[in-house]
Amino acid sequence: MPDMQVAVLIPCYDEEMTIEKVITDWRRALPKATIYVYDNNSDDRTAEIALKAGVTVGYEPEKGKGNVIRRMFEEIQADCYILTDGDDTYSADKALDLLRGIREGADMVIGDRLSTTYYEENKKKIHAFGNRLVQRLINRLFHADIPDVMTGCRALSREFVKSFRVKSNGFEVETEMTIFALQSEMTIRSVPIQYRDRPKGSKSKIHAIRDGVRILHAIWKMYWRGKFKKRKAQGNRGVPREHFTNE
């Protein structure tokens, strides 16, 4: 797909300190891509700075990362979607590797932080613990080997984006995307990427306990929903066609 249309998606809430640099870095890495910044009802100048930088700016008034990603997926048309954060924690230097995975047939290419610099750069031990816990839990429950479940940097195919229905409202959306890809038996690849801590003065929006509970709830809900669907499908096998009705 030589003329693949690429969209870089940057959901933002109060990222005026870093958004210009993030736009510059991804524009340099993917000069032919269209960059979209969606402002999630910020209280600062995030949207204004993004507009001055010359990118397409959208808005989602209902706060929550899941809410803004849902709107982006509904409104933006592309062949490949690269999702990253506006806080300058993800380097853009592996952008071509993320894109290459989609070109070669993957549905999701995960930007793997945990195998590189995450544990050295992230100063909050509870975040590191949460990432390890969720990674191990999902790999065990879904018989997978995903190196980084909750990364905010990943490339997605058009097929994935248009078949995935975002149910999460908050930070559990990354976990939901990973589980959906596993349950749908989509092709998943990973690319090691460099992670850096937020610059001084930039504040994380994650509330470790509250968001951790929501993420664990999302995992169990999707796990048991998948079990139910699988049993239902197995129960329907071999049943004569006339036993089904449209009523």
Side-chain angles (χ1 to χ4, degrees):
M1 196 180 295
D3 298 322
M4 178 179 281
Q5 185 179 3
V6 180
V8 177
L9 279 53
I10 311 174
C12 283
Y13 172 61
D14 286 355
E15 302 293 1
E16 67 177 11
M17 180 181 294
T18 52
I19 188 57
E20 186 173 10
K21 181 178 183 299
V22 172
I23 291 168
T24 299
D25 288 351
W26 285 90
R27 181 179 278 151
R28 184 183 298 119
L30 296 170
K32 295 183 179 180
T34 303
I35 299 177
Y36 298 85
V37 171
Y38 269 53
D39 183 73
N40 194 202
N41 203 4
S42 295
D43 297 315
D44 65 6
R45 297 172 55 249
T46 297
E48 178 186 341
I49 293 169
L51 282 169
K52 287 182 178 178
V55 301
T56 301
V57 176
Y59 299 90
E60 169 50 54
E62 188 69 25
K63 288 184 180 179
K65 193 171 186 180
N67 293 326
V68 70
I69 288 177
R70 182 186 302 112
R71 182 173 291 274
M72 296 175 100
F73 285 1
E74 288 172 353
E75 295 183 351
I76 297 169
Q77 305 300 321
D79 299 311
C80 173
Y81 300 76
I82 296 182
L83 188 63
T84 191
D85 287 345
D87 57 7
D88 195 33
T89 55
Y90 297 103
S91 171
D93 62 356
K94 295 294 184 181
L96 292 177
D97 292 335
L98 293 169
L99 178 58
R100 185 179 301 113
I102 302 299
R103 287 186 183 277
E104 293 176 353
D107 294 291
M108 174 184 289
V109 184
I110 289 169
D112 172 20
R113 315 157 293 164
L114 303 189
S115 300
T116 60
T117 55
Y118 179 81
Y119 293 113
E120 294 84 31
E121 286 288 318
N122 193 304
K123 304 303 188 294
K124 295 186 176 181
K125 292 184 178 180
I126 193 168
H127 289 180
F129 171 79
N131 271 277
R132 285 195 185 100
L133 174 65
V134 171
Q135 179 203 17
R136 292 171 182 173
L137 181 60
I138 286 180
N139 283 334
R140 184 177 183 87
L141 287 175
F142 297 94
H143 308 289
D145 188 22
I146 305 296
D148 189 350
V149 168
M150 296 194 293
T151 178
C153 183
R154 61 185 79 204
L156 305 165
S157 69
R158 179 178 178 84
E159 180 183 356
F160 176 94
V161 168
K162 297 309 176 183
S163 61
F164 176 55
R165 297 292 176 263
V166 181
K167 294 182 174 62
S168 302
N169 296 323
F171 286 105
E172 63 271 30
V173 66
E174 282 108 354
T175 304
E176 185 187 1
M177 282 192 280
T178 303
I179 295 175
F180 174 81
L182 288 169
Q183 290 182 322
S184 302
E185 298 183 347
M186 290 184 168
T187 302
I188 304 173
R189 292 188 184 181
S190 65
V191 171
I193 61 171
Q194 297 298 305
Y195 176 89
R196 50 186 171 243
D197 203 5
R198 282 174 168 269
K200 189 175 181 181
S202 175
K203 295 181 180 180
S204 173
K205 314 307 185 298
I206 297 175
H207 298 272
I209 302 301
R210 182 192 68 191
D211 292 316
V213 170
R214 288 178 177 176
I215 289 166
L216 292 174
H217 178 69
I219 293 170
W220 284 110
K221 185 167 62 175
M222 293 186 75
Y223 174 74
W224 287 111
R225 187 187 297 141
K227 283 278 190 182
F228 174 77
K229 286 182 179 179
K230 190 173 182 180
R231 287 171 184 164
K232 187 176 180 181
Q234 289 173 342
N236 287 339
R237 288 175 188 168
V239 179
R241 187 175 181 84
E242 60 267 25
H243 284 200
F244 294 94
T245 70
N246 294 322
E247 298 178 357

